[in-house]
């Protein structure tokens, strides 16, 4: 039994070293000293005072975003911004905080891809565009998805002088957007390919 | 001189041991790679379990654990340090299975659901699954690992024991 324990210890030690090395060499490896969820602790520890009424999930989300200096917008507000003429001039930007594959599968037309886990990939494209934009709407899947919050915080780190009113979080996210059958662009930004909801609903027809 | 019956029995046990190694090792490699090649969803899931509050520890667990699984899986597949590896696998499987159960019970209670109706992504590498299926799968893996730990079968092992 002692030999088995020693063997297990050996496997564990060598395995740990190999794992660290593999993570370091992997192009998708995590950076160990990077906080991928900044201000998450502050946002999570806010509790309603005893005796107050129970807040709705939306109110709680708005309060938690406000605590980190971000503003939540709803579907009506996001639709107004989508139709705002400033969007055509790239003075109003949409930023998709999800990973590459969900982004390519469908995003709000004209939205930039910005995965905060690999923010350095987007320094040359997204950051310069955000620096001249007057307003930036960040979204992810919506619901329990936190990615838009962390993407917005990462963007704020890169952009100096970005005030609260410039960075907005669309709480409903892509799930709500698609549920409302709003335009969805497939592939890369400005690909021109829009999702055909009817074709998706009735395949083969 | 061994009888034909005991030879046949030995062959069956050897076959079961080899098959167990391949299933256990193969699954560990597959699930480990799913997480290692897509670390972002995995770190989000690890965070949801609220095991650690320090971001450095969170990053280390999320970065190292998947590759560690792949490493152990490859060793078991090749038949190297089999008993040590399976002991390590048990040390990973048992607490993780209990964690999944705890999380599922919390979700079931919060949603007033039956336990087996709970479905979520446990961070195992195969997306959202019904918790009962996952618990059954993990229980099988625990049995396989425990069996390999107890049975000294060296057939088709590159190096069954390190010494």
């Amino acid at each position: 039994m002692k030999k088995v324990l020693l063997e297990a210890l050996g496997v564990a030690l060598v395995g740990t070293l190999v794992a660290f090395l593999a993570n370091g060499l992997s192009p998708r490896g995590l950076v160990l000293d990077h906080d991928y969820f900044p201000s998450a602790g502050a946002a999570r520890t806010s509790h309603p005072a005893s005796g107050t009424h129970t807040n709705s999930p939306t109110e709680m989300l708005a309060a938690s975003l406000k605590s980190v200096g971000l503003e939540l917008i709803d579907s009506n507000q996001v639709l107004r911004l989508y139709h705002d003429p400033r969007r055509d001039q790239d003075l109003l930007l949409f930023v998709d905080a999800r990973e590459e594959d969900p982004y390519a599968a469908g995003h709000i037309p004209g939205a930039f891809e910005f995965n905060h886990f690999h923010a350095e990939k987007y320094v040359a494209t997204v950051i310069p565009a955000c620096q001249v934009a007057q307003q930036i709407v960040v979204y992810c899947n919506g619901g329990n998805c936190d990615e838009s919050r962390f993407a917005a915080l990462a963007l704020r780190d890169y952009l100096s002088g970005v005030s609260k009113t410039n960075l907005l979080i669309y709480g409903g996210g892509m799930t709500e957007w698609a549920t409302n059958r709003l335009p969805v662009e497939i592939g890369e930004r400005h690909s021109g390919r829009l999702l055909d909801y009817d074709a998706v609903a009735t395949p083969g027809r | 001189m061994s009888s034909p019956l005991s030879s046949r029995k030995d062959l069956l046990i050897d076959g079961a041991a080899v098959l167990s190694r391949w299933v256990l090792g193969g699954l560990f490699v597959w699930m480990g790679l799913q997480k290692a090649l897509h670390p972002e969803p995995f770190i989000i899931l690890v965070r949801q379990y609220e095991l650690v509050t320090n971001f450095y520890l969170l990053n280390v667990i999320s970065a190292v654990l998947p590759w560690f699984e792949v490493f152990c899986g490859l060793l078991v597949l090749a038949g190297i340090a089999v008993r040590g590896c399976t002991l390590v696998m048990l040390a990973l499987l048992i607490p993780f299975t209990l964690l999944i159960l705890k999380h599922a019970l919390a979700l079931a209670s919060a949603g007033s659901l039956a336990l087996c109706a709970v479905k979520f992504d446990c961070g195992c590498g195969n997306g959202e699954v019904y918790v009962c299926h996952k618990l059954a799968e993990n229980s099988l893996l625990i049995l396989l690992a425990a069996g390999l730990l107890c049975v000294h079968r060296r057939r088709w092992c590159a190096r069954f024991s390190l010494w």
Side-chain angles (χ1 to χ4, degrees):
Chain A
M1 193 59 199
K2 189 178 168 187
K3 281 188 181 176
V4 175
L5 283 170
L6 282 172
E7 194 173 78
L9 191 63
V11 167
L13 282 171
V14 175
T16 305
L17 283 171
V18 168
F20 270 110
L21 191 65
N23 178 72
L25 292 173
S26 167
R28 299 196 64 96
L30 295 172
V31 177
L32 297 180
D33 59 354
H34 180 78
D35 186 359
Y36 290 101
F37 307 100
S39 308
R44 282 173 179 263
T45 52
S46 60
H47 296 290
S50 58
T52 58
H53 69 279
T54 305
N55 292 332
S56 69
T58 307
E59 286 169 342
M60 286 171 63
L61 177 61
S64 123
L65 288 173
K66 192 176 173 184
S67 71
V68 292
L70 298 171
E71 187 181 332
L72 179 70
I73 60 172
D74 62 22
S75 55
N76 290 331
Q77 290 167 298
V78 83
L79 201 53
R80 269 202 302 276
L81 290 170
Y82 178 73
H83 292 298
D84 191 314
R86 289 180 299 160
R87 194 171 71 85
D88 295 327
Q89 300 153 27
D90 281 350
L91 292 174
L92 194 157
L93 297 180
F94 280 78
V95 173
D96 190 316
R98 300 172 301 162
E99 284 182 70
E100 208 173 315
D101 289 343
Y103 174 85
H107 53 267
I108 294 176
F112 280 96
E113 182 191 346
F114 183 76
N115 182 341
H116 72 97
F117 286 100
H118 301 283
E120 65 284 354
K121 264 174 61 176
Y122 309 98
V123 167
T125 50
V126 180
I127 306 301
C130 287
Q131 277 170 333
V132 297
Q134 294 170 354
Q135 274 184 311
I136 304 161
V137 179
V138 187
Y139 70 92
C140 55
N141 276 325
N144 288 329
C145 170
D146 273 338
E147 298 317 294
S148 49
R149 174 211 306 262
F150 298 116
L153 292 172
L155 273 175
R156 198 167 62 186
D157 284 342
Y158 277 104
L159 306 170
S160 57
V162 173
S163 74
K164 181 179 69 174
T165 52
N166 288 25
L167 268 175
L168 308 168
I169 304 291
Y170 171 30
M174 202 60 210
T175 305
E176 186 182 78
W177 185 269
T179 302
N180 292 337
R181 293 174 70 97
L182 293 165
V184 170
E185 185 174 61
I186 299 168
E188 54 188 37
R189 184 175 185 254
H190 291 327
S191 67
R193 291 163 46 215
L194 293 181
L195 177 71
D196 183 349
Y197 284 100
D198 293 327
V200 167
T202 54
R205 275 177 80 173
Chain B
M1 192 163 148
S2 62
S3 68
L5 203 59
S6 63
S7 294
R8 195 174 168 195
K9 184 184 162 190
D10 280 340
L11 201 62
L12 280 170
I13 296 173
D14 277 346
V18 169
L19 193 62
S20 299
R21 275 188 22 236
W22 288 352
V23 168
L24 189 63
L27 275 172
F28 259 69
V29 170
W30 168 253
M31 291 193 290
L33 278 176
Q34 292 302 305
K35 291 177 288 205
L37 298 177
H38 302 279
E40 299 92 351
F42 184 57
I43 192 175
I44 293 167
L45 290 164
V46 173
R47 183 171 156 259
Q48 283 177 3
Y49 283 112
E50 295 181 340
L51 293 171
V52 292
T53 50
N54 177 276
F55 75 83
Y56 186 79
L57 282 176
L58 175 67
N59 291 351
V60 167
I61 292 169
S62 307
V64 165
L65 196 58
W67 289 112
F68 187 79
E69 282 182 31
V70 173
F71 176 76
C72 290
L74 287 173
L75 286 185
V76 166
L77 272 174
I80 299 172
V82 175
R83 296 173 76 202
C85 265
T86 50
L87 186 59
V88 168
M89 284 172 163
L90 281 170
L92 291 174
L93 280 167
I94 293 171
F96 187 54
T97 304
L98 291 172
L99 198 62
I100 292 172
L101 178 62
K102 183 184 167 194
H103 192 64
L105 286 169
L107 288 174
S109 170
S112 301
L113 297 168
L115 179 66
C116 288
V118 173
K119 189 180 183 186
F120 67 100
D121 189 343
C122 60
C124 315
N126 40 11
E128 278 201 354
V129 290
Y130 283 103
V131 70
C132 285
H133 294 169
K134 190 62 207 168
L135 291 173
E137 183 187 302
N138 276 20
S139 300
L140 175 66
L141 293 178
I142 288 168
L143 278 172
L144 289 178
L148 286 170
L149 182 62
C150 300
V151 169
H152 297 216
R153 292 290 163 165
R154 298 167 183 260
R155 190 178 287 269
W156 290 358
C157 286
R159 186 157 180 172
F160 180 80
S161 179
L162 289 181
W163 44 70

